[in-house]
Structures are given as structure tokens and as C-alpha cells.
Amino acid sequence: MTLRLPLYIVDAFADRPFTGNPAAVVPLDAWLPDAVLQGIAAEHNLSETAFVVAEPAGLRLRWFTPTIEVNLCGHATLATAFVLDTERGLAPPFVFRTLSGELRVTREDQRYVLDFPANPPARAEAPGGLVEALGAAPREVWKARDWIAVFDEPDTVRRLAPDHARVAALPGETSRLIATAPGDNGADVVSRYFAAKIGIPEDPVTGAAHVQLVPYWAARLGRDRLTCVQASRRGGVLHCRLAGARVLMGGAARLYARGEIVGLDAE
């Protein structure tokens, strides 16, 4: 017997095609083995595949990169809320049970707003190999879950051509690296995100990066509302607010494709 699973590809933090961060969303009636979930994510080869199940206790959401399960993902959460709202007949607000606790998503007009726990960084010494990995020396280095390299000019961040093998070799279990600077052209913050060690050389738009960036920039700029631009090739905009120990991140989404996964045999 062959399984038939619904599949949606959604561009998150995007208001037009081929921008933002594409995520695969797979609603399930019940959980499949973890090895199957990981295999599906590897087959998609997107930065994240989200799996969601309506359990008796509520919606449970999990995220997989092509190589590992992660404990927090913003753009695939936004994509999942969009699919449930526009394709599956459910209405926001949504509360997802995840490895990072309960995550809430509301809708404000055409924008979905993620309510995530803040993860403020602390000042740190640059680890060995960071400058070589980025090809540029940051003004300062901070550390939360990820390494954060702070530059003075947004164009420096845009021009970075990192050595992804060296990024993957930075100390830490996952060796993820954020490059950031003050924004321009109406943005408060600009950033890029590199995570080759978990199968994502450069992530197009990263909600999990901004739960670390927003506390830093809110303190530095002296305001709690920030327009953040992730300056990847695809690009994306996050409308952020620091609300105590939470970070609110708003963005639009667009459906790119809907279909079925049909290549799996039921056990």
C-alpha cells in the first residue's frame, strides 16, 4: 500500500514569487517514524520541512532540515499557519506545541505574526576561524544559540562571500553564524544567516535568527519595533517587536505549489 500525503510549498516572509524562504509543509493524520520524516525533508532539500499533526492536546509541529530535526524555525511555522488557514479550513490564532514550547501565530490582515521566546545574546570573544570563515573582521561578536558577527555597514554584510566549510567548523554543536549591521533604505537591521553544518549554507530568511537579533538591536537602537531585512539572494522582510521576553515577527506568505507525496510505502 502506498501512502498519499498532502504537500505544500510556501514562500514565507514573501509578498511575491521567488522571494522569502521556501518551506515544505506536510500535514499528517498521525506521526510517521522519525527516519521517514528525515528522509522526506532530505528529499525536498529545502532549508526546512514542517510536519504538523492535530493531537488530542492540540497542534504539534516539528521541523526538519535536510540533515537534522531542529528545535525552532520561524519561516516554516509561518508557512504552516498559512497552509492551515488558507488550504486546510482552520482559522487563526494557532497554538503549536513544539520543542521550544508553545508558539502562537495570529493574523493581522495579510500578515502572519509569530510569537516566539526571545533569546538575548551576550558579548563574546570571536572564536578561532570566524574571521577566516566570513572573509571580514566584525566590529564585535555576540553569542546566543548562534554566533553573531556585528558589522558597521550593511553593504559589508551584503558583500560577504563566506567559506561554508569554515563556518561549519566553528565551535558549537551546530556552528550557525549570523552576520548583521545597522540597516539602510528604510530598514533598521540587515542580516544574513549561514548554517552549513545543518545542511543550509545560507538560509534565505530566518525567524530563529531574529529572536536573537531583535533583543540586541532593540537595546542598541533604543526602540522595540524594528524592520529587519535579511539580505540573502532571495531576500525577505520581518516586521519585528520586542515584547518583554517574547519576539513578535510579522510577514506575508505565498503558496508556490500544492501536491502529494506518493513514493512512500505504508508499513
Side-chain angles (χ1 to χ4, degrees):
M1 179 179 176
T2 300
L3 291 176
R4 305 182 72 91
L5 305 177
L7 169 66
Y8 304 89
I9 307 295
V10 176
D11 291 336
F13 297 111
D15 57 6
R16 62 187 189 280
F18 312 128
T19 63
N21 200 348
V25 179
V26 183
L28 299 171
D29 293 329
W31 292 107
L32 300 171
D34 287 3
V36 175
L37 301 181
Q38 187 63 74
I40 292 171
E43 186 79 7
H44 293 159
N45 201 33
L46 296 172
S47 60
E48 303 286 349
T49 295
F51 300 92
V52 61
V53 172
E55 297 180 335
L59 293 168
R60 187 178 175 207
L61 178 62
R62 298 172 69 184
W63 313 277
F64 288 76
T65 79
T67 59
I68 66 167
E69 183 176 9
V70 296
N71 64 3
L72 187 66
C73 178
H75 81 281
T77 302
L78 190 157
T80 302
F82 172 84
V83 166
L84 295 179
D85 182 21
T86 64
E87 299 288 320
R88 306 295 289 184
L90 302 178
F94 299 113
V95 178
F96 296 111
R97 296 168 56 244
T98 78
L99 291 176
S100 291
E102 288 192 348
L103 303 178
R104 185 178 178 88
V105 183
T106 58
R107 187 181 66 195
E108 297 178 0
D109 297 324
Q110 300 304 308
R111 188 179 295 167
Y112 293 86
V113 180
L114 312 179
D115 181 345
F116 278 20
N119 188 1
R123 188 72 181 267
E125 292 295 325
L130 183 142
V131 172
E132 293 79 6
L134 285 175
R139 160 185 173 160
E140 56 196 36
V141 173
W142 292 65
K143 183 74 166 63
R145 184 192 72 177
D146 306 329
W147 295 104
I148 302 173
V150 181
F151 292 89
D152 290 320
E153 299 296 333
D155 281 344
T156 303
V157 172
R158 294 189 181 100
R159 290 194 298 264
L160 291 173
D163 182 325
H164 295 295
R166 287 181 168 175
V167 172
L170 292 174
E173 182 180 353
T174 53
S175 305
R176 291 172 274 204
L177 175 59
I178 305 166
T180 188
D184 56 4
N185 300 320
D188 299 302
V189 178
V190 67
S191 68
R192 291 173 67 191
Y193 187 80
F194 310 111
K197 194 168 185 177
I198 61 169
I200 310 168
E202 178 167 5
D203 197 37
V205 192
T206 315
H210 286 80
V211 303
Q212 304 165 78
L213 289 174
V214 168
Y216 169 84
W217 285 110
R220 177 167 162 179
L221 299 177
R223 56 182 182 273
D224 59 8
R225 293 182 182 270
L226 301 169
T227 300
C228 302
V229 170
Q230 197 152 330
S232 63
R233 180 182 58 81
R234 293 176 62 98
V237 179
L238 302 90
H239 301 273
C240 298
R241 179 164 69 91
L242 182 64
R246 310 291 292 183
V247 172
L248 307 182
M249 299 173 284
R254 288 183 63 105
L255 181 67
Y256 174 72
R258 67 171 68 90
E260 285 186 314
I261 298 171
V262 297
L264 301 176
D265 294 328
E267 295 184 358

